[in-house]
Amino acid sequence: MTEYLDHPTAEDIALPAVLTALGDETRLAIIAILARNGEKAMTCGQFLQLGSKTAISYHVAKLREAGIIHVRPDGTRRLLTLRRDDLEHRFPGFLDSVVTSAVAMQTPEVLDYPAAPEIARGM
């Protein structure tokens, strides 16, 4: 049976929690990379250029708990996507502003990290 991960409902996403979660450079980098990847889900392993597995798991949990990303268990993997629609409904225009700033802060090495082969294989 697939494990369920708790996410706040769209109505329960609180701006203070979102702002707190986005107050970290690593989490902003994760948001920038997810945004660059569009609607395709990414795995936690695709963010290892930003830190250790433990650190990435921690940052992903903070983003999930704040309602910024959705994490779906898929076997031993966790598939990550931005909660664009929920955040746009709750705070119109906010995510676009955050993504624009987050992308501008990242180095090309971070944004162009070779995650594409992993995406192509469906990992």
Side-chain angles (χ1 to χ4, degrees):
M1 184 171 147
T2 302
E3 168 187 348
Y4 173 77
L5 298 174
D6 192 33
H7 296 80
T9 65
E11 296 78 27
D12 289 335
I13 297 174
L15 187 57
V18 170
L19 293 173
T20 299
L22 293 175
D24 180 271
E25 288 182 27
T26 301
R27 292 190 280 261
L28 283 174
I30 291 170
I31 296 304
I33 294 167
L34 282 171
R36 180 210 64 187
N37 202 45
E39 297 297 317
K40 287 185 179 179
M42 296 183 74
T43 65
C44 290
Q46 292 176 279
F47 297 96
L48 294 179
Q49 80 275 21
L50 302 174
S52 68
K53 287 181 182 181
T54 302
I56 297 304
S57 292
Y58 172 79
H59 290 302
V60 165
K62 291 297 179 187
L63 290 168
R64 177 184 51 80
E65 291 164 359
I68 300 167
I69 65 172
H70 185 265
V71 181
R72 181 174 55 90
D74 183 42
T76 59
R77 303 178 308 161
R78 302 291 182 259
L79 301 177
L80 316 176
T81 53
L82 284 176
R83 291 182 65 181
R84 279 190 181 278
D85 292 342
D86 291 340
L87 288 166
E88 183 61 27
H89 171 75
R90 192 81 171 107
F91 313 109
F94 177 74
L95 184 61
D96 288 337
S97 295
V98 169
V99 167
T100 299
S101 295
V103 168
M105 292 174 52
Q106 303 312 311
T107 63
E109 294 81 24
V110 169
L111 292 175
D112 294 333
Y113 184 74
E118 191 171 328
I119 294 169
R121 289 193 309 267
M123 297 185 145

